[in-house]
Amino acid sequence: MRGRGGARGSRTPSAPWSRLKPVDMDPLEAMGLPSKGDSRLLDFKTQERYYTKIVERYMTFCSDAGERDELLRRFASLDLSSNSNDSPLARSATNTSIPDPSGPAMAPASISNNTKGLSDVLSALRKLREGIVASKRVDDFAIQVYLFCIRLSVLVKHPESYHPAILHLLRRIHPLHSMTSVEMSEVVGYLVLDTACRRNNLAEAFTLRHKYRLRDAKIDAVLDALAHDNYIEFNRLKRRVDGHKAKLLEYAEEGIRKHLLKCFGRAYLNVDLDFLEKCADSKWASLTADDGVGWELDGARVVIRKVKAR
């Protein structure tokens, strides 16, 4: 009996086991913020592998969206951003760009499942940017990461991500490792438009354009339209610029359109409905519901003011 008992006591499981199931950790979420003590992203190779996973997740998000309209809807719903030359992720080899559809990361619980992938990408980019800053990395890879972050954050209108990224790229990275002239023009253009449209500071926007010697006819025309409160020209330019710049112009659209409506209110007693909708680039229902227009609609004409009888 002792032998049988000894044999039973010496039996060991053939494989490790536990009552708890292994946690299937998202590779993007598994990495912590360097500012919170996680030092893994201070390693250059780890940064490059993590960036590869970020790009793969973003491309999956775009593929899942399918049609262009669905991709636009998902962006809008989130609208709330070693030697590198030997690396396979060098900018010259993988010049990743954001498909053009025309700070703290957002909590996944506040958005739908369709946009969770994009929220995870923004959160991961913040971690990667922190790692690049903490490791004092200044090379082609750092520029590529920052350009990717800026383009994506502009598309989802997340200034908490793109504004500090633009400033760090221009003030810290570019003086030590130059961007190409095309990249420089792109980034400065975003900064100028963000200053003029979102921050509503035209004087500083003109100063930045002069400081960085920006030569862009469309941006010059946008600044001119904003300076003269010319909504007609502003709206025409919004259709001509690329999707990223158009997103930045949206910040100023509401204010300049309301100025147009005030001009109508002071200049006209009545006006054709079609003419008003064409100038404001908005339907009557939207003008009354969203812009607070209180004028009276009389058939095909809009009565703005009535002459008081003497």
Side-chain angles (χ1 to χ4, degrees), residues 188-203:
V188 173
Y190 294 154
L191 181 60
V192 170
L193 290 179
D194 180 70
T195 303
C197 299
R198 181 180 66 87
R199 297 171 55 205
N200 195 28
N201 192 334
L202 271 176

Side-chain angles (χ1 to χ4, degrees), residues 224-259:
D224 183 72
L226 289 172
H228 292 87
D229 291 316
N230 188 342
Y231 180 74
I232 306 298
E233 179 67 9
F234 175 86
N235 197 41
R236 184 182 69 84
L237 290 166
K238 184 171 176 286
R239 294 191 179 96
R240 292 180 56 192
V241 299
D242 61 61
H244 296 80
K245 292 184 176 68
K247 281 291 182 180
L248 293 172
L249 294 187
E250 288 178 4
Y251 286 112
E253 187 172 12
E254 181 181 357
I256 194 171
R257 183 171 62 247
K258 286 187 176 180
H259 179 80

Side-chain angles (χ1 to χ4, degrees), residues 138-211:
V138 179
D139 57 8
D140 281 347
F141 175 78
I143 293 177
Q144 178 60 35
V145 170
Y146 270 80
L147 288 174
F148 184 88
C149 176
I150 291 167
R151 290 164 181 162
L152 176 58
S153 302
V154 165
L155 283 180
V156 299
K157 297 176 72 173
H158 196 239
E160 294 85 353
S161 293
Y162 70 72
H163 190 254
I166 289 174
L167 296 181
H168 183 79
L169 188 55
L170 291 176
R171 296 175 180 177
R172 302 295 181 186
I173 297 180
H174 179 67
L176 299 177
H177 191 88
S178 299
M179 292 182 282
T180 66
S181 59
V182 175
E183 292 168 344
M184 185 67 177
S185 178
E186 177 188 359
V187 173
V188 173
Y190 294 154
L191 181 60
V192 170
L193 290 179
D194 180 70
T195 303
C197 299
R198 181 180 66 87
R199 297 171 55 205
N200 195 28
N201 192 334
L202 271 176
E204 185 178 347
F206 279 105
T207 300
L208 290 169
R209 185 186 66 170
H210 176 72
K211 175 182 177 181

Side-chain angles (χ1 to χ4, degrees), residues 15-128:
W17 60 277
S18 171
R19 292 181 180 180
L20 299 177
K21 294 182 178 179
V23 179
D24 187 13
M25 200 67 175
D26 187 321
L28 296 188
E29 296 178 357
M31 202 71 71
L33 288 165
S35 60
K36 301 297 184 182
D38 193 327
S39 60
R40 287 175 291 177
L41 281 176
L42 301 184
D43 178 72
F44 285 8
K45 293 297 182 183
T46 304
Q47 291 173 2
E48 294 167 7
R49 288 193 295 267
Y50 194 59
Y51 178 66
T52 300
K53 295 182 184 298
I54 292 173
V55 173
E56 289 174 352
R57 182 67 58 85
Y58 178 76
M59 298 310 295
T60 299
F61 169 83
C62 294
S63 298
D64 290 344
E67 298 296 330
R68 173 181 177 275
D69 291 341
E70 174 62 14
L71 183 60
L72 282 170
R73 188 191 66 78
R74 293 190 183 188
F75 273 115
S77 65
L78 188 61
D79 172 28
L80 318 161
S81 275
S82 76
N83 187 352
S84 63
N85 292 331
D86 299 330
S87 167
L89 287 172
R91 198 158 34 120
S92 59
T94 57
N95 187 18
T96 308
S97 60
I98 304 295
D100 184 354
S102 72
M106 300 177 184
S110 65
I111 59 177
S112 66
N113 290 333
N114 287 339
T115 55
K116 183 181 182 303
L118 196 52
S119 178
D120 291 342
V121 169
L122 286 174
S123 177
L125 282 171
R126 178 193 171 187
K127 298 173 185 177
L128 184 54

